[in-house]
């Protein structure tokens, strides 16, 4: 049975003009598991979003966003308003595009905007997404951090019942205690250790995560 469960990653819909913030599903291969196990999904409540460009390309690699999930701007990374840095930037959608780095904390989804009049010189903004890393801890995308858009080696999950699992912090400081930890990533289930109790779909070149009881 394959069932999607939730991640702690955050997704936002943003553009140079007014836009709507929307929830999103985790990218392909990010956190699916079989029971042994099931997948993960992240959502946020819809709300207004505002963006304004700082660099020549909106949220290019190594540029930063301000604090906030329902309203944010692109800001200088050295400024006091900077909250997270772009570690990867791709056009298109998460579902069809390249995967974010494993330790990404959250993903910003950027809607396509093609203004009739371009007063600030930024030009059109194609649909895309930015993989973000917080400038300061916590880092939910780190192994065992309990969140992020991808499930990676070192992450922990707990059993929701009915064949569902959800990611949680491995240090026990989360709302739910960890029950399984992903200890290895392999290309086929047959390469998992005998102690494996959960097979987690990680995607990529080593798509099977071998998880064992904590």
């Amino acid at each position: 049975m394959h069932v999607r469960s939730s991640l702690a990653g955050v997704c936002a819909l943003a553009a140079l003009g007014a836009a709507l913030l929307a929830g999103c599903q985790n990218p392909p291969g990010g956190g699916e598991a079989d029971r042994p196990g099931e997948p993960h999904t992240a959502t946020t409540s819809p709300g207004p979003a505002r963006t304004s460009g700082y660099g020549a390309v909106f949220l290019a690699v190594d540029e930063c966003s301000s604090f906030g999930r329902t309203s944010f701007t692109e800001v200088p990374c050295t400024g006091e308003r900077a909250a997270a840095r772009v570690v990867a930037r791709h056009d298109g959608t998460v579902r069809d595009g390249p995967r974010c780095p494993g330790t990404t904390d959250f993903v910003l989804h950027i809607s396509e905007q093609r203004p009739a009049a371009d007063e600030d010189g930024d030009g059109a903004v194609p649909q895309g997404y930015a993989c973000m890393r917080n400038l300061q801890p916590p880092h939910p995308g780190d192994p065992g951090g309990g969140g992020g858009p991808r499930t990676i080696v070192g992450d922990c999950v707990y059993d929701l019942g009915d064949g569902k699992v959800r990611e949680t912090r491995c240090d026990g400081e989360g709302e739910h205690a960890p029950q399984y930890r992903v200890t290895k990533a392999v290309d086929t289930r047959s390469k998992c250790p005998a102690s494996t109790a959960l097979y987690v779909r990680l995607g990529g070149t080593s798509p099977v995560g071998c998880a064992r009881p904590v």
Side-chain angles (χ1 to χ4, degrees):
M1 176 181 291
H2 301 289
V3 183
R4 291 196 176 274
S5 58
S6 62
L7 284 172
V10 178
C11 300
L13 180 67
L16 290 176
L20 292 177
L21 188 69
C24 72
Q25 290 186 336
N26 58 301
E32 294 195 8
D34 295 323
R35 178 89 89 240
E38 289 73 24
H40 299 71
T41 299
T43 60
T44 61
S45 299
R50 292 179 295 120
T51 63
S52 63
Y54 178 76
V57 177
F58 180 66
L59 286 180
V61 173
D62 286 333
E63 293 181 340
C64 294
S65 67
S66 64
F67 291 91
R69 293 291 182 268
T70 59
S71 178
F72 65 90
T73 56
E74 183 181 307
V75 296
C77 291
T78 55
E80 62 182 13
R81 296 179 61 206
R85 186 186 301 272
V86 180
V87 295
R89 176 74 157 82
H90 304 291
D91 291 338
T93 64
V94 170
R95 183 174 298 277
D96 299 324
R99 304 169 75 215
C100 283
T103 55
T104 298
D105 288 329
F106 62 96
V107 179
L108 291 178
H109 291 244
I110 302 166
S111 65
E112 182 178 16
Q113 293 291 315
R114 298 187 180 277
D118 181 17
E119 297 179 354
D120 57 11
D122 287 336
V125 178
Q127 180 183 24
Y129 56 98
C131 309
M132 308 299 295
R133 173 85 172 170
N134 294 329
L135 295 179
Q136 301 293 333
H139 293 291
D142 281 351
R150 290 180 52 187
T151 299
I152 59 177
V153 172
D155 280 341
C156 292
V157 298
Y158 67 95
D159 193 347
L160 286 172
D162 294 327
K164 300 178 182 179
V165 296
R166 183 173 294 171
E167 192 173 328
T168 189
R169 290 176 57 171
C170 288
D171 61 8
E173 296 298 318
E175 184 177 352
H176 298 273
Q179 294 178 317
Y180 304 92
R181 184 192 295 266
V182 179
T183 59
K184 190 175 182 179
V186 296
D187 56 359
T188 63
R189 291 187 182 187
S190 62
K191 295 183 179 179
C192 283
S195 59
T196 300
L198 194 75
Y199 299 106
V200 183
R201 295 180 183 174
L202 305 180
T205 57
S206 299
V208 180
C210 313
R212 65 183 183 186
V214 175

